[in-house]
Amino acid sequence: FHQACSPFIQTARCYARPVRRKRKDIPSHLDDLPPTMLKKDYANVPIINSVDDVVKRLLSLEMASQKEKMKIKTQQLVEKVRRSPHDNGSSEVQVAMLTAKIRTYEEHLQRHPKDKNNRRRMLMDIDRRKKLLAYLRRVRYDTFENTCKQLNIQYSLPPPYSRRITKRWVVKKAFCLKVFREARKLKAPERLKQRREWQARARAAKE
């Protein structure tokens, strides 16, 4: 024997149901890779042109994982900035590899904003890339500009150093100035004596 539920109880039950939020489609930096492109390990195999279309589809990026797509994307970014075909460790190549990793972390954190571990890794990679770009900007400015342009990186200068003024810092600075002035007073007679000797040598040289 089931008693009919009142409309109030039915409304309360519907209200208590968890509301499922629809996930927004976040654009990825891997979207420009064509699905018909072959994976990195099979792209240069000579026999790949004679295999069946089903096999080609299995070896293409359509069936590839995120890791395999990342290999292709990293290779594309490296090809834009590398100095020679055998360049695998220059500053530009390292910046390109870090850029691919940072963009992947950014997309992951948009879906999972509470993932603190990957956020920490992303900040570490951003810091490494900043140091490499600062080095390139100081040593090879033309290469720095080309790297930022090819990889679509907006480089911002670090803020100027500013010290927080505290009472302890003010007292310490005043004490250091006082010690410096006292030391100059003690060394003043000796410096005056040296100056007179230099002047006497200069006069003797002129005569």
Side-chain angles (χ1 to χ4, degrees), residues 9-192:
I9 295 177
Q10 290 180 359
T11 306
R13 285 177 178 175
C14 294
Y15 181 76
R17 290 176 184 174
V19 178
R20 293 184 179 181
R21 296 181 180 179
K22 293 183 179 180
R23 289 187 177 182
K24 296 181 180 179
D25 293 333
I26 300 172
S28 174
H29 70 292
L30 304 175
D31 292 341
D32 58 343
L33 295 175
T36 56
M37 181 184 290
L38 295 175
K39 300 177 185 178
K40 184 180 179 182
D41 298 333
Y42 305 101
N44 298 323
V45 178
I47 202 174
I48 201 67
N49 295 323
S50 59
V51 298
D52 192 8
D53 293 339
V54 178
V55 178
K56 278 188 178 181
R57 186 179 177 187
L58 290 173
L59 301 180
S60 65
L61 294 183
E62 185 180 357
M63 303 293 180
S65 62
Q66 184 83 1
K67 186 176 180 180
E68 291 168 335
K69 291 180 181 179
M70 268 293 297
K71 288 182 180 179
I72 299 290
K73 192 63 180 180
T74 305
Q75 185 182 11
Q76 288 182 354
L77 294 180
V78 167
E79 289 293 337
K80 291 182 179 180
V81 297
R82 72 189 336 173
R83 304 177 189 176
S84 64
H86 304 288
D87 178 20
N88 295 319
S90 62
S91 300
E92 305 92 290
V93 171
Q94 294 181 48
V95 168
M97 295 170 68
L98 288 171
T99 301
K101 290 175 64 177
I102 289 168
R103 289 173 182 169
T104 305
Y105 282 135
E106 288 175 347
E107 293 169 8
H108 175 78
L109 289 172
Q110 286 181 359
R111 296 185 180 91
H112 311 281
K114 295 184 179 181
D115 191 350
K116 296 182 180 179
N117 192 16
N118 280 322
R119 184 178 297 277
R120 183 178 64 86
R121 292 177 182 174
M122 183 187 72
L123 294 176
M124 289 172 64
D125 286 341
I126 289 175
D127 189 46
R128 286 178 58 195
R129 189 178 69 173
K130 278 184 179 179
K131 291 179 180 178
L132 289 169
L133 288 173
Y135 169 76
L136 276 176
R137 187 174 182 273
R138 187 173 66 252
V139 177
R140 303 177 63 187
Y141 191 80
D142 54 343
T143 308
F144 161 78
E145 281 191 333
N146 182 55
T147 303
C148 292
K149 182 179 179 182
Q150 294 293 335
L151 301 179
N152 195 17
I153 298 175
Q154 293 182 355
Y155 179 79
S156 57
L157 292 174
Y161 175 76
S162 60
R163 180 189 290 271
R164 183 185 174 189
I165 299 176
T166 59
K167 186 176 180 180
R168 182 179 178 182
W169 181 80
V170 171
V171 173
K172 185 178 179 181
K173 183 177 180 181
F175 177 73
C176 291
L177 287 174
K178 185 176 180 181
V179 171
F180 175 71
R181 289 166 186 165
E182 292 294 332
R184 287 191 67 184
K185 286 180 182 179
L186 293 174
K187 293 180 180 179
E190 185 179 353
R191 293 173 62 190
L192 182 60

